[in-house]
Amino acid sequence: MSVKPPSDYLQQRRPRQHFSDRAAYLEHELQAMAPKRWRPNLPFKDYRFEWEDLVPATAATIGKIVMVAAIVAAFAGPLGLSDAFVIENVRFEMLIAAVLFVILISGFLNPVANLAGTHGPLIPLIPLIVAAGGHPMALGILIGVLGFILGITKGGSLLAKLTSNGVCGGLLLYLGFIGLQAQIKHLFSWATGFDMAYLAFVIILAVIILYAYLEHIQKRWLAIPLGSALAALLAWSLGAPFSFQTEPGIPNLNPAYWWGADTGWQLGLPTLQHFLAVAPFAVLAVAMWSPDFLGHRVFQQLNYPAKTDKVLMNIDDTMCSAATRQVTGSLLGGGNIASSWGTYIIPASIARRPIPAGAVLTGLFCIIAALWGYPMDLAVWPPVLSVALMVGVFIPLLEAGMQMTREGKTTQSAAIVIFSSALVNPVFGWSLTVLLDNLGIIGCKERGKGLGHLGRWIVPGIVFIVLCTVMAAIGMFPGIPAFLPSFRLTV
């Protein structure tokens, strides 16, 4: 009987004892991996589990609970659905993501496809979608179809190539700053609610000192568990209110229940009119993917050592995975809007870990949280939630953005993308600045000359015009009413 040869990974890797410190060992693990796209990748044969994988898995689970709850609640509010509906749908969505996609795709079939997470930037638009006659299933299906087309045609990687370091760095700085500012306000708002505003100041100051110390000892990857634990301990010891309310249980798994006329969403199945109502929002949602996915891949590149290109996130594969997850979740009854999972990939990059092992742990954590119930209460407690997002996502985004804009003329492009994003939103800022940058009006003029007509102005120009048309139609330009009368609504 023939014996199968060891995998490329097993041939290349060396045990921990061969390295002077753990950082060198983790870098070697990244360089030794040889992930196979859309073929089985087995634990201990093609990758290993390390203690560091617990960090992105924990952060991702916290982020998943919070972001899906925000999406579903944004739909449920205008539709008059209860908090109990939101909790049950979130638990259902976590099981869909964990079992069908996180573990199966990112953990086994394609370790260079980032986990399919939640589309946070779309949350403010959801009340407008509902008011315009939108249907969650129609929106999800259209986003999935458009996203799959973009991924399968490699449109995502093309747009990534056309985005310079200055544009990407400025985008990271903007997203990091507004996210950090929002979480600080959220923490103070929570503490003010029970007349202990000083508690937010104490927590944030303590976390700043902890984060600085972890940077000093080069253990920044521990910021999420230690920061969240410190925040929870300080809040609890100083008398902040907290209680476990979500009991163990299994959500309804029947799609007919979720899409019934009198059960679940209480909307029935979508009609053609529903698809027409959500079409502009679906185009905008998929357009938001490119800068989001690009930022995640660039963050990996900045934190990984040399010779690790083969384990970097594949933008097009991630788009296909997120699109498939979107259609599947919407058909089954979930309310999530999919995107690349930032609360996973950013902590994983800081910890210098590849995607698959942490993906398997994330899937297991999501299943446990969904079925057990109690961890969901702890994850959404403001001290834990805000600190995890601040130290695990937004501060690292600021650091990465600063690192990308240190050389050459990148500061010009970075300033313009921040300026224009503040005027409208990051999608407008990204598309406008890519066009100006590639034309050579700002940034490095030599770079634009090497892109050819297609890369200099044809593709960026078409993208900018299409996005501006969509945003003008639904009223996203400040001070300008929506061009389409059905979207002229106050939200």
Side-chain angles (χ1 to χ4, degrees), residues 179-188 385-386 389-390 394:
L180 188 63
Q181 191 177 43
Q183 290 309 313
I184 291 174
K185 287 182 178 179
H186 178 248
L187 204 53
F188 270 96
L385 161 65
S386 293
L389 292 177
M390 283 191 285
F394 299 123

Side-chain angles (χ1 to χ4, degrees), residues 299-310:
F299 196 86
Q300 274 186 305
Q301 291 174 310
L302 293 174
N303 285 274
Y304 281 6
K307 301 178 182 178
T308 56
D309 288 352
K310 59 183 177 296

Side-chain angles (χ1 to χ4, degrees), residues 183-270:
Q183 290 309 313
I184 291 174
K185 287 182 178 179
H186 178 248
L187 204 53
F188 270 96
S189 176
W190 163 76
T192 304
F194 49 89
D195 297 324
M196 292 179 64
Y198 65 88
L199 179 58
F201 178 81
V202 171
I203 290 173
I204 294 172
L205 180 60
V207 170
I208 290 173
I209 295 171
L210 172 66
Y211 190 85
Y213 178 71
L214 292 175
E215 288 268 29
H216 174 68
I217 62 173
Q218 298 183 348
K219 297 291 183 183
R220 190 176 52 150
W221 59 273
L222 288 171
I224 294 171
L226 294 184
S228 298
L230 175 62
L233 182 62
L234 284 173
W236 178 77
S237 61
L238 293 175
F242 174 74
S243 62
F244 289 107
Q245 296 178 343
T246 306
E247 298 180 354
I250 300 175
N252 195 310
L253 306 178
N254 184 2
Y257 163 80
W258 290 107
W259 295 122
D262 302 309
T263 58
W265 290 95
Q266 300 178 24
L267 293 173
L269 295 176

Side-chain angles (χ1 to χ4, degrees), residues 432-443:
L432 173 62
T433 314
V434 166
L435 178 60
L436 297 175
D437 189 66
N438 289 1
L439 285 173
I441 297 174
I442 57 175

Side-chain angles (χ1 to χ4, degrees), residues 37-104:
R37 295 173 58 232
W38 306 117
R39 286 185 293 159
N41 293 262
L42 303 178
F44 307 109
K45 179 176 181 288
D46 297 297
Y47 61 88
R48 291 178 61 85
F49 294 91
E50 302 291 345
W51 288 109
E52 289 80 0
D53 291 313
L54 293 170
V55 174
T58 302
T61 305
I62 294 173
K64 186 65 174 176
I65 294 170
V66 173
M67 297 303 292
V68 178
I71 288 273
V72 176
F75 275 117
L79 292 173
L81 301 173
S82 66
D83 291 341
F85 165 84
V86 174
I87 292 172
E88 186 172 19
N89 196 263
V90 170
R91 297 172 90 162
F92 183 41
E93 272 286 1
M94 291 178 69
L95 292 178
I96 293 172
V99 176
L100 299 180
F101 292 93
V102 172
I103 296 177
L104 181 62

Side-chain angles (χ1 to χ4, degrees), residues 395-415:
I395 295 177
L397 285 178
L398 283 173
E399 293 177 345
M402 292 174 186
Q403 188 173 344
M404 294 189 71
T405 55
R406 288 187 304 180
E407 299 177 357
K409 297 182 179 180
T410 55
T411 53
Q412 296 178 1
S413 303

